[in-house]
Amino acid sequence: DQQVKQNSPSLSVQEGRISILNCDYTNSMFDYFLWYKKYPAEGPTFLISISSIKDKNEDGRFTVFLNKSAKHLSLHIVPSQPGDSAVYFCAAPNQGGKLIFGQGTELSVKP
Amino acid sequence: EPEVTQTPSHQVTQMGQEVILRCVPISNHLYFYWYRQILGQKVEFLVSFYNNEISEKSEIFDDQFSVERPDGSNFTLKIRSTKLEDSAMYFCASSPRRANNSPLHFGNGTRLTVT
């Protein structure tokens, strides 16, 4: 099931700089998207979401951008902090409510 | 902040044995889910549960799997006869509304190791 894809398995960023995590989707029926953050030995933690009626949603250092025509969303973290180092998943629910996850991108923020 | 709790954190079992993974969802949530993540792979949906019945299940969720909400607080996943390929992290999740417009809240998972 490749409806949600994160093509970068890892990303390394210097502390204080911007982290940009990307996600593509194929199902044009998706109308709600979420980003989750996961530390080792913990469950995914909800970070931020966006509805398809918007193209941007901001919460503190985290901003999600949605480009519906390109079926692409991105998560921007600025400034990046070492505590942001984790695996980030984008996800979208299908019409039945089943959450479909991307493969994840491991972010490493170096001091 | 209320959270989803899962027990045990790690379960080791022999192939062919039955296991029960336990979850206590957030108390005012109405929708309950099980997901799993095999090492190095995606988080994948197993089953959703609402109003005391299964809403949707994946092809992974065959007749070896069952879910139950035996009382007002617990939500369990049973695997009747475990196989080696059932080894994974199993995550329980809950939400107040359907996942179409409400984030799921996940527990910290149970690591199931089948030997």
Side-chain angles (χ1 to χ4, degrees):
Chain A
D1 188 335
Q2 291 288 304
Q3 295 185 69
V4 179
K5 288 185 269 193
Q6 293 174 258
N7 292 318
S8 299
S10 63
L11 175 68
S12 183
V13 169
Q14 205 68 32
E15 181 180 6
R17 299 291 186 103
I18 185 171
S19 296
I20 300 175
L21 298 109
N22 294 301
C23 179
D24 297 296
Y25 61 97
T26 56
N27 190 338
S28 57
M29 299 297 290
F30 287 155
D31 59 7
Y32 180 60
F33 303 89
L34 308 96
W35 283 95
Y36 282 84
K37 173 178 173 180
K38 186 181 180 304
Y39 293 118
E42 293 186 13
T45 302
F46 169 68
L47 200 54
I48 192 169
S49 63
I50 188 166
S51 163
S52 61
I53 62 173
K54 294 186 173 183
D55 53 20
K56 176 182 173 182
N57 188 26
E58 190 172 350
D59 183 1
R61 296 186 297 114
F62 303 91
T63 304
V64 56
F65 295 91
L66 176 62
N67 181 335
K68 282 177 294 192
S69 60
K71 296 194 180 72
H72 177 83
L73 61 153
S74 60
L75 174 68
H76 292 211
I77 306 172
V78 56
S80 302
Q81 300 172 354
D84 296 329
S85 297
V87 179
Y88 289 79
F89 294 96
C90 70
N94 67 4
Q95 294 303 299
K98 176 175 98 174
L99 201 56
I100 298 169
F101 284 85
Q103 302 93 319
T105 297
E106 184 171 9
L107 174 66
S108 174
V109 180
K110 302 194 182 305
Chain B
E1 186 177 320
E3 56 183 31
V4 175
T5 56
Q6 290 185 244
T7 54
S9 56
H10 191 186
Q11 173 89 49
V12 181
T13 190
Q14 287 194 321
M15 197 167 51
Q17 296 296 303
E18 174 184 287
V19 293
I20 298 176
L21 309 184
R22 302 180 191 279
C23 170
V24 179
I26 294 173
S27 62
N28 62 345
H29 285 188
L30 301 176
Y31 294 82
F32 313 111
Y33 312 85
W34 284 99
Y35 285 76
R36 79 173 186 189
Q37 184 181 28
I38 294 172
L39 187 64
Q41 297 187 23
K42 296 169 77 164
V43 177
E44 48 187 358
F45 169 81
L46 292 178
V47 65
S48 58
F49 191 87
Y50 170 71
N51 202 24
N52 283 319
E53 58 184 29
I54 291 173
S55 315
E56 186 175 354
K57 58 184 181 180
S58 72
E59 54 196 35
I60 302 166
F61 195 90
D62 61 22
D63 57 9
Q64 292 301 307
F65 290 83
S66 62
V67 289
E68 196 177 32
R69 188 155 162 82
D71 52 42
S73 58
N74 291 285
F75 180 51
T76 61
L77 174 70
K78 182 194 289 187
I79 309 174
R80 289 191 185 82
S81 178
T82 50
K83 304 188 283 278
L84 294 176
E85 54 265 38
D86 294 328
S87 295
M89 282 291 292
Y90 286 80
F91 295 106
C92 173
S94 67
S95 62
R97 298 180 298 279
R98 282 186 67 171
N100 305 74
N101 58 14
S102 177
L104 273 59
H105 298 257
F106 286 84
N108 281 334
T110 293
R111 178 175 298 282
L112 177 65
T113 302
V114 182
T115 62

